[in-house]
Amino acid sequence: MPVLILLLVLAGGCHHSDYLSYSWDDRRVLCSDAIDDYKGDAPWALVDDELGYARSDSRVALFHAHIPGVTISMDGIERILAHADREHLDYITYRELVPGPGRSGLALAFDDNSVEEWLGIRDLLSSHHARVTFFVTRYAILTDAERAGIDQLAADGHDIQPHSVTHPHGLAYVHDHGLQAYVDDEAVPSMEILRAAGYEPTAYAYPFGEHDSAMDRALFPYVDKLRVSPGSCPW
């Protein structure tokens, strides 16, 4: 095994063989791939393969999107949900990704702060008995109506997790302002404002999936899981 991959595995990061899934182990850094299809280049073959592996290997496939009807089509959302149903996968939120007995599932997430569009897929998600995770950024500037919408999504059984204060490129932010500034200005405040609203953070999704091991170590005291992009894994 190459040294870089070995170090990442030992640090609780992505695995080469199942980097887009969670195997109910003690990993804390999880890779998720985007399935936004607005450019016509969603990785559907990869999605199909990963959902099949999730079923056969009792693990959880990890995928995310952003704005329903804008960055991802309604057909695209229906496609992944229908395939998950065909594979008899459970819908699993990030709050549930903790070590334990293996089971087959899909952890689907939506990122950022498009609350109106998220509310627009409530019936679609309900029709599949799907529970998903919403990684919320810019919570401080949401309107009262949008915050009420987040509450409604939570009441439907969905998970609410933090995604930074202003959605910066993390590596550039750390380069310009320092690691502690990223922790103090972007990551931790996004957790604290959700906690004050009644949502206890257990996972944090890096904007754009950008991170490094120093950032991970700095955030491990605050949440159990960190979500990154496949591009930040060494393969």
Side-chain angles (χ1 to χ4, degrees):
M1 178 180 288
V3 173
L4 181 58
I5 294 178
L6 177 60
L7 289 174
L8 189 58
V9 170
L10 291 176
C14 313
H15 291 179
H16 183 264
S17 62
D18 58 353
Y19 70 105
L20 286 178
S21 63
Y22 174 65
S23 299
W24 304 103
D25 52 25
D26 60 357
R27 274 181 292 172
R28 301 184 66 184
V29 180
L30 304 180
C31 296
S32 172
D33 207 357
I35 57 169
D36 294 298
D37 60 3
Y38 66 106
K39 294 182 179 179
D41 57 356
W44 291 121
L46 177 65
V47 171
D48 293 344
D49 287 344
E50 290 297 326
L51 295 185
Y53 297 147
R55 173 60 175 172
S56 62
D57 297 342
S58 297
R59 64 198 200 196
V60 185
L62 307 172
F63 291 101
H64 65 278
H66 294 82
I67 311 175
V70 179
T71 66
I72 183 170
S73 65
M74 295 301 181
D75 287 345
I77 300 172
E78 171 64 32
R79 175 173 179 164
I80 191 170
L81 296 178
H83 192 164
D85 291 346
R86 289 195 301 273
E87 297 286 354
H88 304 288
L89 302 181
D90 291 339
Y91 291 100
I92 296 171
T93 68
Y94 273 71
R95 190 172 305 279
E96 298 170 291
L97 298 178
V98 296
R103 58 187 174 118
S104 302
L106 167 64
L108 179 62
F110 291 88
D111 291 3
D112 299 343
N113 58 342
S114 299
V115 180
E116 181 177 354
E117 288 81 4
W118 294 346
L119 291 170
I121 60 171
R122 288 179 64 209
D123 289 344
L124 175 58
L125 295 174
S126 178
S127 70
H128 289 272
H129 305 286
R131 294 178 302 112
V132 304
T133 300
F134 293 98
F135 282 99
V136 182
T137 189
R138 303 183 179 94
Y139 186 88
I141 64 171
L142 294 183
T143 66
D144 289 345
E146 288 170 330
R147 293 189 184 195
I150 295 291
D151 292 342
Q152 180 62 68
L153 293 169
D156 289 345
H158 305 300
D159 193 11
I160 310 299
Q161 297 285 358
H163 189 41
S164 82
V165 172
T166 66
H167 206 274
H169 287 272
L171 294 173
Y173 195 99
V174 170
H175 179 269
D176 293 342
H177 305 285
L179 175 58
Q180 196 59 50
Y182 181 82
V183 174
D184 293 343
D185 300 342
E186 286 292 337
V188 171
S190 73
M191 302 171 195
E192 290 176 340
I193 196 168
L194 287 184
R195 182 177 292 115
Y199 306 111
E200 184 61 32
T202 63
Y204 177 79
Y206 288 105
F208 310 102
E210 298 173 353
H211 77 122
D212 62 20
S213 59
M215 296 168 70
D216 296 343
R217 289 193 298 271
L219 293 183
F220 281 152
Y222 300 98
V223 288
D224 183 61
K225 295 290 188 292
L226 299 170
R227 202 199 75 193
V228 306
S229 69
S232 65
C233 293
W235 43 78

